[in-house]
Amino acid sequence: MTRIPPLSDQEMTADARASRAALGAYGPFDNWARVAAYCPPVLNHVTGMLTTLREQENLPRRALELAMVTVSKLNACDYCVSHHTPLLTVAGLSPEGAARLPDVEDHPELDDCDKAVVRYAEAVTIRSGRMRDAEVADLGEWFTDAQIVELTWRIALCGAFNRFNDALQIQIEPEVEPVSA
């Protein structure tokens, strides 16, 4: 059970209701939005940032979802793994391939770029302050500097979501199939 009761529409500010609706167009995150609505600036800014990033399509969807599932599995966040695994399968990875992450050794569904993304997501998540320069520079083979900045931000943000969701025990929405981290 969620540790903070989700707000009803009537309990939310008008701005929070608008952000919740906009986030609903982004994906099935109603339970998250109803808890985040206690702090409207969080809900408003996160919604705005996520929708803007999606609209600009700077980062390939497969790379983004590989990173999100990897981070969420490393942090054991069932909420985020459940939401992002289906998106990763749409991006071309089988459910079995997604379940195997973050293990990339001899992974038959991952190419060198995919493996670099997973390794980078793991490095940012587990040892961001101890990464080697080459771990960032190596991504330059597949990504622009702007894409690397966005990828790094999205990995770090996913880690924040993992902690928020787990600390407050945000429940997976009924329309989302639970997937264990």
Side-chain angles (χ1 to χ4, degrees), residues 70-71 73-75 102 118-131 135 155-156 159 163:
T70 297
V71 171
K73 287 177 78 73
L74 290 168
N75 289 325
V118 171
R119 287 181 180 125
Y120 186 69
E122 186 172 18
V124 171
T125 302
I126 294 175
R127 52 186 180 76
S128 59
R130 297 180 311 279
M131 290 172 52
E135 290 178 287
I155 290 166
R163 284 158 182 78

Side-chain angles (χ1 to χ4, degrees), residues 23 29-36 43 79 161 164-165 170 173:
L23 189 61
F29 298 101
D30 195 56
N31 292 342
W32 184 91
R34 289 182 181 281
V35 173
L43 178 57
Y79 184 91
F161 275 118
F164 182 89
N165 297 337
I170 307 297
E173 289 74 10

Side-chain angles (χ1 to χ4, degrees), residues 114-179:
D114 295 337
K115 290 177 182 180
V117 168
V118 171
R119 287 181 180 125
Y120 186 69
E122 186 172 18
V124 171
T125 302
I126 294 175
R127 52 186 180 76
S128 59
R130 297 180 311 279
M131 290 172 52
R132 298 181 329 270
D133 291 344
E135 290 178 287
V136 178
D138 288 350
L139 289 175
E141 184 174 339
W142 298 283
F143 301 102
T144 66
D145 288 347
Q147 289 174 313
I148 294 169
V149 168
E150 182 179 339
L151 180 62
T152 306
W153 178 252
R154 297 294 290 262
I155 290 166
L157 181 61
C158 186
F161 275 118
N162 296 161
R163 284 158 182 78
F164 182 89
N165 297 337
D166 288 344
L168 296 180
Q169 294 295 291
I170 307 297
Q171 299 297 296
I172 298 169
E173 289 74 10
E175 64 270 30
V176 175
E177 181 71 31
V179 179

Side-chain angles (χ1 to χ4, degrees), residues 7-135:
L7 292 176
S8 68
D9 288 350
Q10 296 76 22
E11 295 170 305
M12 288 183 208
T13 65
D15 282 349
R17 281 193 304 274
S19 290
R20 183 186 139 277
L23 189 61
Y26 182 84
F29 298 101
D30 195 56
N31 292 342
W32 184 91
R34 289 182 181 281
V35 173
Y38 278 96
C39 186
V42 170
L43 178 57
N44 298 345
H45 289 287
V46 166
T47 298
M49 180 177 48
L50 290 177
T51 56
T52 299
L53 288 171
R54 180 174 279 175
E55 288 168 4
Q56 76 178 17
E57 297 180 339
N58 182 48
L59 202 56
R61 192 78 184 163
R62 182 174 171 108
L64 175 62
E65 297 304 334
L66 277 167
M68 300 302 99
V69 171
T70 297
V71 171
S72 299
K73 287 177 78 73
L74 290 168
N75 289 325
C77 180
D78 290 344
Y79 184 91
C80 290
V81 170
S82 296
H83 280 80
H84 287 281
T85 296
L87 300 173
L88 184 53
T89 59
V90 167
L93 207 65
S94 71
E96 298 78 22
R100 187 172 166 184
L101 295 173
D103 176 23
V104 297
E105 298 311 315
D106 302 317
H107 196 303
E109 297 180 52
L110 301 180
D111 62 21
D112 288 342
C113 176
D114 295 337
K115 290 177 182 180
V117 168
V118 171
R119 287 181 180 125
Y120 186 69
E122 186 172 18
V124 171
T125 302
I126 294 175
R127 52 186 180 76
S128 59
R130 297 180 311 279
M131 290 172 52
R132 298 181 329 270
D133 291 344
E135 290 178 287

